[in-house]
Amino acid sequence: MMKYGYVRTSTKEQNLDRQIIAMKEAGIEEQYIFKEQKSGKDFDRQEYRKMMRRIKKGDALYIKSIDRLGRNYEEIIDQWKKITRDKKADIVVLDMPILNTSILKDSLKTFVSELVLQIMSYMAEEERKMILSRSREGIAAAKARGVKFGRPKKEKPEDFEEVYNAYKNQEITVNEAITRLRVSKSTFYRWKEEKEGF
């Protein structure tokens, strides 16, 4: 029997350390921990696919929380079944000890495990919907108060008109114009389009 760990964060900015520490504390060696920093919105994940190819009958997959398997109820249930039924491997959810198929061998315990799984998956999906809804409401309220999102627009320097006219009259190149204005080419073209009314 092999023990594998799968850890994932939704973005590269988030840290995997907490999940990796939990895997090591569960006795999983570093080389058997599959790491991913990619959104769970789909299952086009290289490390996840590699891990799924390695898992065999009798092996165990350790995850920190149930939402590492998927982003919604259907995906979590689908992946759970692929691992436990199709591959006949076990799943251990460290944050929810009752979701440990390696100790739930009789039919009653399996029933309890799958029932809890479905409830937890549903709750995870509802929580994500609530977070998204609150985020949208917060953004809408902030916009109503006049809060601007994104990077602030770069202000045109005082000599923009002079440089723009020189460029328009073909006295200087675009590279000379952006060097004089100390801006990127895309910023210069945006200012040019604004000036020309595009």
Side-chain angles (χ1 to χ4, degrees):
M1 182 195 107
M2 294 294 298
K3 290 166 67 173
Y4 297 103
Y6 178 71
V7 300
R8 176 178 63 79
T9 59
S10 298
T11 67
K12 291 191 183 297
E13 289 73 36
Q14 292 173 307
N15 199 303
L16 290 168
D17 290 351
R18 183 178 61 88
Q19 294 178 63
I20 292 171
I21 289 167
M23 295 298 140
K24 289 181 177 176
E25 287 174 352
I28 300 163
E29 297 176 39
E30 179 83 30
Q31 68 264 32
Y32 300 118
I33 301 173
F34 293 83
K35 307 172 187 98
E36 204 112 53
Q37 288 183 287
K38 189 172 181 180
S39 172
K41 68 183 174 186
D42 58 49
F43 268 82
D44 184 24
R45 293 181 282 170
Q46 185 178 345
E47 290 300 304
Y48 189 86
R49 289 196 312 269
K50 191 189 299 182
M51 177 200 71
M52 288 295 280
R53 286 193 298 269
R54 295 272 297 271
I55 291 177
K56 303 284 186 279
K57 181 179 178 179
D59 291 344
L61 169 63
Y62 285 68
I63 51 175
K64 183 81 169 78
S65 57
I66 193 70
D67 62 356
R68 299 304 85 190
L69 284 182
R71 294 286 287 182
N72 59 46
Y73 172 82
E74 288 81 15
E75 283 180 358
I76 293 170
I77 296 295
D78 180 57
Q79 294 305 307
W80 185 275
K81 288 176 180 174
K82 281 181 181 173
I83 294 164
T84 61
R85 292 184 186 172
D86 299 349
K87 290 187 169 285
K88 298 188 176 4
D90 286 308
I91 298 177
V92 179
V93 182
L94 297 174
D95 285 352
M96 174 75 45
I98 195 169
L99 294 179
N100 178 349
T101 62
S102 68
I103 59 169
L104 296 171
K105 291 302 181 190
D106 66 58
S107 59
L108 177 61
K109 288 183 177 179
T110 300
F111 169 76
V112 171
S113 172
E114 294 200 1
L115 181 62
V116 172
L117 169 69
Q118 291 190 30
I119 292 167
M120 293 301 295
S121 301
Y122 174 78
M123 288 171 61
E125 183 174 6
E126 289 304 302
E127 184 179 358
R128 269 188 293 278
K129 286 179 186 173
M130 204 181 318
I131 289 167
L132 285 171
S133 175
R134 281 196 296 250
S135 294
R136 282 196 284 276
E137 289 169 5
I139 290 168
K143 284 182 177 177
R145 291 193 313 269
V147 174
K148 303 284 184 198
F149 289 88
R151 289 190 315 193
K153 285 190 175 180
K154 190 172 178 69
E155 294 294 321
K156 294 185 184 87
E158 290 178 12
D159 60 343
F160 171 72
E161 291 289 333
E162 178 189 331
V163 173
Y164 166 76
N165 288 329
Y167 168 76
K168 188 176 179 185
N169 296 330
Q170 299 182 341
E171 296 167 13
I172 61 172
T173 66
V174 68
N175 286 335
E176 290 171 318
I178 65 174
T179 300
R180 282 176 58 181
L181 295 170
R182 291 188 291 282
V183 295
S184 68
K185 197 176 282 189
S186 60
T187 299
F188 176 74
Y189 280 128
R190 179 167 50 81
W191 288 346
K192 174 182 174 294
E193 287 173 5
E194 287 171 2
K195 173 77 176 168
E196 294 170 0
F198 288 108

